[in-house]
Amino acid sequence: MPTATTAAACAHGAPAASPGSRGASGRPWVRSPRPADRDVIAELASMALAAGEGDYDVSQFAAAACTGSGRIRVPHGAGRVLVGGLSGSVEPAGLLYLLPPVRLITAHHDHGPAAQARLAADLREIELVVVAAHARRAGVGSALLDAAYALAADDHARVLLARIAAHDFPVLRWWRHRGYTLARPGHCSTPSRAATATTATAWPCAP
């Protein structure tokens, strides 16, 4: 599995979009998964995993994503799955998975349950974000990211993390362009200032 780099930036001040909106004419739409999306979600998740983003059973993930409007129970909270697509098409062409950063929170077990609870409240991680080849450069990824900002803001989260394959330079540039600060490979980033900060310092991540 490729080495992962983690980027961090604040959720506050980011543009917000409703995770259930279809957008204006000609704009990508974003919504929660439906049962009919199961096969497409599995295919999109497989694409993300092939790029080095995460490691789990895509069939189980797709089944869970299509249950309960995309909410998936995870340690330290709940994850949210969003799908997006092109205007004029009903089939999802993009996928985003947002959740508390389980590995980072678990790695801080020595600090006690109260500290872990604070991390779970303050931090969200974008573990998967992928757009099918035919829908790239059409705003689907940006629409998904905006919807993730809205969900994080609703949860009063202060910082977003994203796990990225270190060799994927186009994806790294995409995140940098959106204001994320890259940590060293194998590290997680946390904010070095208040909620409006975009700089970050690195903490070791759990494997």
Side-chain angles (χ1 to χ4, degrees):
M1 182 173 170
T3 302
T5 298
T6 304
C10 262
H12 283 280
S18 168
S21 66
R22 281 195 167 272
S25 177
R27 292 182 177 273
W29 51 263
V30 176
R31 60 168 170 79
S32 299
R34 299 168 181 167
D37 299 329
R38 182 170 175 172
D39 290 343
V40 177
I41 289 174
E43 183 179 353
L44 289 168
S46 295
M47 291 171 54
L49 296 178
E53 299 185 30
D55 182 19
Y56 39 82
D57 187 301
V58 295
S59 296
Q60 291 182 3
F61 172 76
C66 292
T67 303
S69 298
R71 296 179 184 272
I72 300 177
R73 294 297 304 172
V74 298
H76 311 295
R80 288 293 302 273
V81 179
L82 298 171
V83 294
L86 298 170
S87 177
S89 173
V90 298
E91 182 171 285
L95 169 72
L96 185 143
Y97 182 33
L98 178 76
L99 70 164
V102 175
R103 288 176 291 269
L104 187 151
I105 296 169
T106 302
H108 288 77
H109 62 88
D110 290 344
H111 295 270
Q116 288 184 306
R118 286 195 298 272
L119 288 174
D122 287 345
L123 306 181
R124 290 294 179 272
E125 179 177 17
I126 298 174
E127 183 157 294
L128 297 179
V129 59
V130 62
V131 176
H134 73 274
R136 290 173 189 165
R137 299 185 180 277
V140 175
S142 294
L144 285 165
L145 191 58
D146 287 349
Y149 289 152
L151 290 176
D154 287 346
D155 289 341
H156 306 289
R158 299 175 63 245
V159 179
L160 281 177
L161 309 174
R163 184 166 294 270
I164 309 162
H167 69 284
D168 198 338
F169 296 109
V171 171
L172 293 175
R173 287 194 296 270
W174 189 83
W175 285 104
R176 284 182 186 272
H177 180 68
R178 283 153 181 81
Y180 280 63
T181 301
L182 299 182
R184 291 174 295 159
H187 288 70
C188 285
S189 294
T190 56
S192 60
R193 298 202 298 272
T196 55
T198 55
T199 57
T201 54
W203 284 1
C205 268

